[in-house]
């Protein structure tokens, strides 16, 4: 194993129906006496990320670079770009259990819709684990990605994903995944924590 390339992309858009209220906060009714409702967006974001790892003479160790872009309307983020370089090590390499840890440096640049733009250098700590279940027919995985803002710790970014992945056909795989993203760098007054349950399709080669 000399090289490893990882590509990820996520898109989330959702809305919910809410009851219209008057100035006093009372529910509004239409002419037939039914509650008046309206569709209200609850999520609108996307993320694209690419990683390249180069394994050293000791195959447990590798060097890598990571580049990503994202947008999140509800965090007032028009576009955020980041790039990192890191050293990684395979701490566990069993057939049914693997665990990788990465430590590196990153640069983050954020363009906000309304708030003043921001950029900073930081440290990255990434953890990845996989366990093979049911004779390797199902994979339980865990990913933790952290970008530590060294100039303002409270503005750091933490992303966690836990899921079950299983093969479909022709290299395609499906996964049920729970994620929790904490964005300390979101604009003031905007939502910092995003928790979702998702079903995704991927491809392995």
């Amino acid at each position: 194993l000399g090289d490893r390339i990882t590509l990820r992309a996520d898109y989330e858009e959702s809305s919910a129906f809410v009851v219209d209220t008057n100035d006093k906060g009372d529910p509004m009714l239409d002419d037939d006496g039914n509650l008046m409702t309206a569709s209200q967006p609850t999520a609108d974001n996307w993320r694209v990320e690419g990683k390249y790892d180069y394994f050293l003479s000791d195959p447990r160790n590798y060097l890598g670079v990571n580049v990503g872009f994202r947008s999140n309307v509800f965090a007032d983020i028009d576009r955020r770009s980041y790039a990192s370089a890191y050293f990684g090590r395979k701490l566990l390499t069993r057939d049914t259990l693997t665990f990788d840890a990465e430590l590196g440096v990153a640069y983050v640049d954020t363009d906000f819709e309304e708030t003043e733009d921001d950029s900073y250098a930081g440290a990255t700590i990434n953890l990845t684990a996989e366990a093979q279940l049911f004779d390797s027919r199902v994979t339980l995985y865990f990913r933790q990605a952290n970008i530590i803002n060294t100039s303002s710790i409270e503005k750091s970014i933490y992303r966690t994903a836990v899921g079950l992945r299983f093969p479909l056909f022709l290299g395609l795989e499906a996964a049920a995944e729970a994620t929790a993203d904490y964005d300390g760098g979101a604009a003031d007054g905007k939502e910092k924590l995003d928790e979702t349950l998702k079903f995704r399709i991927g491809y392995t080669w």
Side-chain angles (χ1 to χ4, degrees):
L1 183 63
D3 303 88
R4 178 172 62 187
I5 297 175
T6 304
L7 300 174
R8 295 192 183 99
D10 293 297
Y11 177 74
E12 181 184 6
E13 184 176 7
S14 62
S15 59
F17 285 99
V18 297
V19 177
D20 290 338
T21 58
N22 57 26
D23 295 337
K24 296 180 180 180
D26 298 325
M28 297 179 62
L29 305 177
D30 59 21
D31 295 337
D32 296 325
N34 299 315
L35 289 174
M36 298 179 63
T37 61
S39 177
Q40 179 175 308
T42 56
D44 187 357
N45 60 76
W46 58 264
R47 177 188 294 117
V48 177
E49 181 182 61
K51 294 183 69 202
Y52 171 75
D53 298 323
Y54 176 77
F55 287 84
L56 304 177
S57 55
D58 183 342
R60 294 175 299 175
N61 300 327
Y62 57 94
L63 300 175
V65 292
N66 182 13
V67 177
F69 303 91
R70 71 163 302 184
S71 174
N72 189 335
V73 171
F74 285 83
D76 191 37
I77 298 174
D78 179 37
R79 189 195 64 183
R80 170 179 288 150
S81 57
Y82 55 91
S84 68
Y86 52 86
F87 169 80
R89 182 174 175 84
K90 289 181 169 292
L91 300 179
L92 288 175
T93 57
R94 300 174 183 174
D95 291 339
T96 58
L97 181 63
T98 62
F99 180 59
D100 296 4
E102 300 169 356
L103 179 64
V105 295
Y107 179 78
V108 181
D109 182 73
T110 305
D111 295 333
F112 291 102
E113 291 280 1
E114 300 177 1
T115 308
E116 183 179 356
D117 296 343
D118 183 39
S119 61
Y120 62 88
T124 61
I125 303 174
N126 299 330
L127 305 173
T128 304
E130 291 191 357
Q132 305 299 323
L133 308 174
F134 307 110
D135 294 330
S136 299
R137 287 176 293 181
V138 177
T139 301
L140 172 65
Y141 63 89
F142 167 82
R143 294 197 304 268
Q144 175 73 50
N146 310 299
I147 301 178
I148 310 300
N149 186 332
T150 52
S151 60
S152 182
I153 297 298
E154 65 272 13
K155 293 185 177 181
S156 299
I157 300 169
Y158 309 97
R159 300 203 308 266
T160 304
V162 178
L164 288 172
R165 186 174 67 236
F166 47 91
L168 295 175
F169 52 87
L170 300 178
L172 292 174
E173 59 182 23
E177 182 178 279
T179 63
D181 292 355
Y182 179 81
D183 189 348
D188 292 341
K190 299 297 183 178
E191 187 66 38
K192 296 182 181 296
L193 179 63
D194 180 22
E195 297 174 296
T196 59
L197 294 172
K198 63 182 72 173
F199 181 82
R200 65 177 181 82
I201 301 293
Y203 181 76
T204 301
W205 69 91

